[in-house]
Amino acid sequence: MNVGTSWNILRPETVESLMYLWRLTGNKTYQDWGWDIFEAFEKNSRIASGYVGLRDVNSGEKDDKMQTFFLAETLKYLYLLFSPPSVVSFDEWVFNTEAHPLRIVPTHGSNGQSIETAKPVVRPFGRKQGKQG
């Protein structure tokens, strides 16, 4: 990627970041930004058969393809951004780099005994709301 480019192929990274930030802080600003992104996709990239990228966001010139990651990742993260955290709990699931959820399972030591896995710290609210619990 280059600074100063004016194309948009509907990549998932920004929406993914917003989803994680909302889940960890509870700050609805991240959902607002995600909704703005979704509305921009609807306004600028929606066509009769799906969504396409933009060759130039300034002119609105569209390209002629919908990248597979748009459906597989970008829309998945948008869905999760507006779903309750219980839909895919971060205490039970982790996402790989292609946005596939993988269940967290306990590991076993050489003696067959279960090894306790560390529970992630989940902060449902931002620092301004103070510590919970």
Side-chain angles (χ1 to χ4, degrees):
M1 301 190 87
N2 296 318
V3 174
T5 59
S6 61
W7 47 266
N8 181 335
I9 57 172
L10 313 177
R11 295 229 21 110
E13 288 82 6
T14 299
V15 177
E16 176 186 15
S17 297
L18 295 176
M19 187 268 302
Y20 281 115
L21 289 166
W22 172 72
R23 285 281 191 97
L24 295 173
T25 67
N27 185 337
K28 292 200 176 283
T29 298
Y30 301 116
Q31 289 179 316
D32 294 340
W33 291 344
W35 187 250
D36 291 344
I37 290 169
F38 177 74
E39 286 184 322
F41 289 160
E42 285 291 306
K43 178 182 176 186
N44 301 300
S45 295
R46 181 85 164 132
I47 60 171
S49 58
Y51 294 83
V52 293
L54 299 174
R55 286 190 175 107
D56 186 337
V57 298
N58 298 307
S59 69
E61 178 188 357
K62 293 173 174 53
D63 64 22
D64 61 354
K65 59 186 163 190
M66 180 171 66
Q67 303 287 342
T68 57
F69 54 73
F70 178 69
L71 294 176
E73 298 177 57
T74 307
L75 289 182
K76 184 184 302 180
Y77 287 126
L78 277 167
Y79 173 79
L80 292 171
L81 178 61
F82 295 101
S83 298
S86 60
V87 169
V88 178
S89 169
F90 287 171
D91 291 335
E92 299 174 29
W93 298 90
V94 64
F95 289 97
N96 70 6
T97 58
E98 298 299 319
H100 300 299
L102 303 172
R103 187 178 293 277
I104 300 169
V105 296
T107 57
H108 298 281
S110 59
N111 62 1
Q113 296 292 334
S114 178
I115 298 172
E116 287 293 318
T117 56
K119 290 281 187 186
V121 176
V122 177
R123 294 180 182 91
F125 301 100
R127 286 188 257 170
K128 290 185 180 180
Q129 285 85 8
K131 288 186 174 182
Q132 303 291 319

